[in-house]
Structure formats: structure tokens, C-alpha cells
Amino acid sequence: MMRTRPLKVALLGCGVVGSEVARIMTTHADDLAARIGAPVELAGVAVRRPSKVREGIDPALVTTDATALVKRGDIDVVVEVIGGIEPARSLITAAFEHGASVVSANKALLAQDGAALHAAAEQQGKDLYYEAAVAGAIPLIRPLRESLAGDKVNRVLGIVNGTTNFILDKMDSTGAGYQEALDEATALGYAEADPTADVEGFDAAAKAAILAGIAFHTRVRLDDVYREGMTEVTASDFASAKNMGCTIKLLAICERAEDGGSVTARVHPAMIPLSHPLASVRGAYNAVFVESDASGQLMFYGPGAGGAPTASAVLGDLVAVCRNRLNSTTGPGESAYAALPVSGMGQVVTRYHISLDVADKPGVLAQVATVFAEHGVSIDTVRQQGKDGEASLVVVTHRASDAALGGTVEALRKLDTVRGVASIMRVEGE
């Protein structure tokens, strides 16, 4: 039997995502009530600009006092889609203290202070759900946290930022340079006026921290994630990738060490074989590849951003939290029992593609090969092209640690015959 008294929801933020959440709550009210077992009522909307017209939202619900809204005491669930660290952190904490559970899409806050927020929720016996924080509409947090709870996840490899994937896909398919592709992404609304968070990997790094923490039952903070942006990727890098049967993607990679004793989390551009499922992810789409002991390889694919897709994930969490509320229970909280150490980038082992500018004369290849051997880095393939006394030498290694590769490159720079290191890129997904 359906309860007639509605569950009250406070919405913090009414931008692209928040307005879609409000719209779906209104237009799908009957369906949501049937799925939850009680009606849900939008009880207040906190915004910065109250004078703005918001279609479908009663102006009487709009307030600029978000703190007073979350402290009302009659709010069952607070939906936070304002982003950033403050005031979101204080508002979420206040919501728990005043009896509300929380649904959030705030990847930056969760990556930085997720442990403290989970502790606050647990102390008050409330839920903290955040499916929308990582990959928009793609169900990923709940499968990792619940569906794979009986499995051992070893690796999470994915494209988790639509803006960067659009830019790299455009460079790959049309031969455009980075700036040209960025300009198109901006014109189409995929890139912000200031694209730094996307193209420098900050957005993906926050998502990697959240994914690694859930996958490996270990607290992983944003500061633990190695981050490298994609602004230095060039058309020549794509040409080299094509020669290897690869393309280039900005990847978030979370891995358990082979001995199981530590984990790593990193974000950087990488070459991946065209045969890998992630290579075919085009435009602004996201995809995440999960590798586990029992389930094997799983791939999650779909739109990773946008108002409606992200709102879909928010509403999915809202339904789950409201059901828990009706049953006087809570869903899964933080699982950090493994407490594995988070290793630095120097311990990561992968293949590398190194492009060197060298003198075009006999003995250069032998000198370069000697340096690689002295640092314990095995060479897979070498390609050399020369003209007018200058040459390009492309070396692809077998698997080596980042620390060993770093020492190799430092030694190469000291050779008189090496004019410069044109590019270094990791090769993943094999």
C-alpha cells in the first residue's frame, strides 16, 4: 500500500542538471511515486539568482538561503548539484545533522572529502549516494559497490570525460590540431569557456579517485591520483599511433598491483589498440572497462554528461534513497576495509612510445639502444627516418616501470646525438 504523506526533497542548485531533476520529478511524479511507494515532493530549491525564470518550478519554492533549507528538519532528501567544495560540504554535513539523506553529483568534493562525508552520514544513520558524480547516466557506482561486491576487481580503465574524448576523436578522424578541435568543442557546447578542468585531467582525476576507492575498498583521495593533461597531444602523435594500429584517448586507470598489495590511480593520454573496445568510443561519449576475477571483462558505455543524462543518474539515486527512507534503513556506505597503500606513478608498469629527434649518422641507434639496456628497459620495435642530417627515431618498449623509463629518458637527453625528446606516450589496453 502506498503511503500518502510525501517524502520531501530539497534541491540545491538549479542549473543544467538541477533544472532537469526538477522537471523529471514533476513530469514523472506518478511513476516515481509508484516505484518508491510514496509520493515525492519538491519542497525547496536553493539558487544564487532568484530572479531568473525557471519553467515548471513554483517561484514560492525558490530561495537563496540554502543553509536554512537543509536545516528545516522536515526534509527527507537533499539533492546537491551545485558542485565545488564550499558551500557544498557544509550544506551536506548540515543536511545529515538535521535528518536528511543526501544525493550528490559532486565529484570534486567526494574525491577530496569522501571519507569525512561518509563518516558524517554513518554517524547520523543517513544515506550518501552519488551515481551521477562519475559518468553521467552510465550505471557504474552501484554495479561496483553492489553488483560486484562479491567479486575482486583488479582494474578499472575508462574514458570518463566527454569533452576530452570529443577533442581527441576529432583530431583522430579529421587530422585537426588540438586548438582547432578545442575550438569546435567550445562552439558546440562540449567545452567550457575555461576548459582547464577537462583538458588538464582534473575532472577525470576526481572520478578516478572515486572509482578506485570503491573498486579496491581503499580510501583514495584526489591527491593520490597521478594526473597528466592532453594539451600536448599533436597530430604527429596520432600519426604514430596509426602506424601502430592504435588511437589516443585520455584514460582514467585504476589498478591493483600484481601482488595485490597496493593500488594505483592515474589519468593521462595513452595509445590504445584499435581492437580494444575503448578505441571505438566516439564523440562526447564515456565508457569504462572493468576487469575482475569472477566476472571477467565488463564494459559500461553511454553519455557521460549533460543535463538529462546526469539527472537520470540523480533520480535513480533519489528513488533508492527514498525507498531506504520508507523502510527505515540505509544502503551501502563507505567500504574501505582493505586499506591498501596507494603507490606512486613510479611503480606503474606499462609500455611506452618514445619519439626522439636525433642526428642522422651511423651509431646513433646503437647508442640509444645501449641506454635503454643499461636502465633495464627492453625495446620492442624501432623506426628511424632521416633527412638532411636530422632524423626521427621512434622506440616502442616492452613493459617497464615509469621510474625506469624516467631514468632512461634522462640519460638519453645527455647524449650528444639526441637533439631532443619529441614525445613520450604510454601504450595501454593490451
Side-chain angles (χ1 to χ4, degrees), residues 278-327:
L278 291 178
S280 62
V281 178
R282 314 304 296 266
Y285 275 71
N286 284 191
V288 177
F289 207 71
V290 178
E291 300 174 8
S292 64
D293 277 359
S295 300
Q297 298 178 331
L298 305 170
M299 184 169 166
F300 300 84
Y301 170 85
T310 305
S312 171
V314 170
L315 267 296
D317 279 350
L318 178 63
V319 169
V321 170
C322 285
R323 286 171 175 170
N324 291 342
R325 193 86 172 181
L326 287 179
N327 293 322

Side-chain angles (χ1 to χ4, degrees), residues 9-14 18-19 21-22 42 44-46 57 69 77-79 81:
V9 177
L11 178 61
L12 307 184
C14 198
S19 60
V21 170
L42 188 59
V45 182
I57 297 177
L69 178 59
V77 184
V78 169
V79 174
V81 288

Side-chain angles (χ1 to χ4, degrees), residues 382-405:
V382 178
R383 187 176 72 254
Q384 183 173 0
Q385 293 178 324
K387 184 179 180 181
D388 299 329
E390 298 295 329
S392 173
L393 189 65
V394 175
V395 178
V396 179
T397 74
H398 288 290
R399 287 170 61 82
S401 72
D402 191 80
L405 196 282

Side-chain angles (χ1 to χ4, degrees), residues 12 27 168 215 283-284 293 381 413:
L12 307 184
T27 58
L168 292 173
D293 277 359
T381 62
R413 295 183 193 276

Side-chain angles (χ1 to χ4, degrees), residues 18-293:
S19 60
E20 280 296 311
V21 170
R23 182 188 67 79
I24 295 172
M25 284 185 64
T26 301
T27 58
H28 295 181
D30 291 342
D31 286 336
L32 291 173
R35 294 165 191 172
I36 292 168
V40 286
E41 173 189 321
L42 188 59
V45 182
V47 300
R48 285 185 296 180
R49 296 184 296 274
S51 59
K52 181 179 177 180
V53 176
R54 294 173 172 84
E55 186 177 349
I57 297 177
D58 183 351
L61 298 178
V62 176
T63 178
T64 58
D65 194 343
T67 301
L69 178 59
V70 301
K71 289 183 176 181
R72 272 176 38 174
D74 64 335
I75 300 296
D76 294 289
V77 184
V78 169
V79 174
E80 183 271 310
V81 288
I82 57 177
I85 306 302
E86 287 292 354
R89 175 171 49 196
S90 297
L91 291 170
I92 290 174
T93 302
F96 292 140
E97 292 172 348
H98 288 79
S101 290
V102 173
V103 172
S104 176
N106 196 331
K107 53 188 171 287
L109 178 58
L110 289 159
Q112 178 173 306
D113 290 322
L117 294 177
H118 274 294
E122 183 177 2
Q123 182 179 6
Q124 301 297 332
K126 299 297 180 288
D127 274 322
L128 173 61
Y129 276 48
Y130 43 90
E131 184 68 66
V134 171
I138 304 173
L140 187 58
I141 298 297
R142 194 170 291 120
L144 283 173
R145 193 159 68 167
E146 300 178 30
S147 303
L148 296 175
D151 206 343
K152 179 184 178 184
V153 176
N154 296 309
R155 194 175 197 224
V156 180
L157 170 77
I159 298 164
V160 295
N161 183 278
T163 300
T164 56
N165 199 59
F166 178 90
I167 293 170
L168 292 173
D169 181 42
K170 186 62 62 173
M171 292 175 70
D172 184 30
S173 61
T174 69
Y178 166 75
Q179 189 60 52
E180 182 183 352
L182 172 60
D183 290 343
E184 182 172 351
T186 303
L188 292 173
Y190 292 126
E192 302 286 347
D194 179 2
T196 302
D198 294 324
V199 300
E200 293 295 351
F202 291 101
D203 175 86
K207 295 170 181 176
I210 295 170
L211 290 174
I214 296 170
F216 306 132
H217 305 278
T218 292
R219 286 179 178 170
V220 180
R221 300 182 73 251
L222 182 58
D223 292 344
D224 295 322
V225 181
Y226 172 84
R227 179 194 55 79
E228 184 181 320
M230 48 156 282
T231 57
E232 301 302 317
V233 176
T234 65
S236 62
D237 290 326
F238 274 101
S240 293
K242 287 181 179 179
N243 286 332
M244 291 177 57
C246 293
T247 188
I248 299 172
K249 299 292 186 180
L250 185 76
L251 299 178
I253 305 171
C254 313
E255 290 181 306
R256 189 189 301 269
E258 290 185 5
D259 64 4
S262 64
V263 299
T264 58
R266 51 196 166 103
V267 169
H268 53 72
M271 294 181 180
I272 58 172
L274 294 175
S275 58
H276 194 281
L278 291 178
S280 62
V281 178
R282 314 304 296 266
Y285 275 71
N286 284 191
V288 177
F289 207 71
V290 178
E291 300 174 8
S292 64
D293 277 359

